[in-house]
Amino acid sequence: MRFVPTKIHGPFDYLIAILMIASPWIFNFAGGTGMWVPVIAGSVVIVYSLLSDYESGMTGLLSMRAHLALDIWAGVFVGSSPWLFMFYQSVYMPHLAIGLVMTAAALITHTRPSKPAGRYHAAGQHAVDPSAHDRS
């Protein structure tokens, strides 16, 4: 059941990405593969979020369905990375928790935005809506 609107999911994307990037220092596991997985994954999440067609996107090049699929893949990857890259003996809980939250959020978010990014100009201003100028 999808009940989270995309306008809520959007800011969450950026917050979780920042958390991923900062997690090695927040949770004190800086160094090695365990550090770089969330840093790189968080950076990738920011890039595809900016490219997504939802309220928090900038270009609208990536559909919301594709965005959510990437969220699921990123969540599974980050969550399983301690075992994939064999660093689970030193750290695994931040990766697993972030991965599960990302995956769950993607599964409960609407697949269509209420206000796609494509309605905005690159300068961040609203595009002109021809129906807004009713001449009746």
Side-chain angles (χ1 to χ4, degrees), residues 103-121:
T103 303
L107 293 172
I108 62 172
T109 298
H110 294 165
T111 58
R112 292 186 182 173
S114 58
K115 196 182 284 185
R119 294 186 186 177
Y120 300 95
H121 290 293

Side-chain angles (χ1 to χ4, degrees), residues 51-55 57 59-64 113 115-119:
L51 296 174
S52 295
D53 192 19
Y54 69 148
E55 296 86 351
T59 65
L61 294 174
L62 188 66
S63 74
M64 195 60 202
K115 196 182 284 185
R119 294 186 186 177

Side-chain angles (χ1 to χ4, degrees), residues 44-102:
V44 170
V45 169
I46 289 173
V47 170
Y48 74 72
S49 294
L50 289 170
L51 296 174
S52 295
D53 192 19
Y54 69 148
E55 296 86 351
S56 297
M58 295 295 286
T59 65
L61 294 174
L62 188 66
S63 74
M64 195 60 202
R65 285 185 183 272
H67 172 100
L68 294 173
L70 287 171
D71 278 351
I72 291 169
W73 280 105
V76 170
F77 175 73
V78 170
S80 64
S81 66
W83 295 273
L84 288 172
F85 298 110
M86 305 304 289
F87 59 84
Y88 64 91
Q89 291 178 335
S90 60
V91 63
Y92 71 90
M93 192 53 73
H95 299 77
L96 181 60
I98 289 169
L100 289 172
V101 168
M102 281 190 71

Side-chain angles (χ1 to χ4, degrees), residues 3-42:
F3 56 89
V4 175
T6 57
K7 72 179 185 178
I8 301 297
H9 183 95
F12 172 79
D13 279 331
Y14 296 104
L15 289 173
I16 199 81
I18 291 167
L19 175 64
M20 279 195 285
I21 292 167
S23 67
W25 297 276
I26 293 171
F27 301 112
N28 199 26
F29 63 89
T33 308
M35 176 184 106
W36 289 109
V37 167
V39 170
I40 293 169

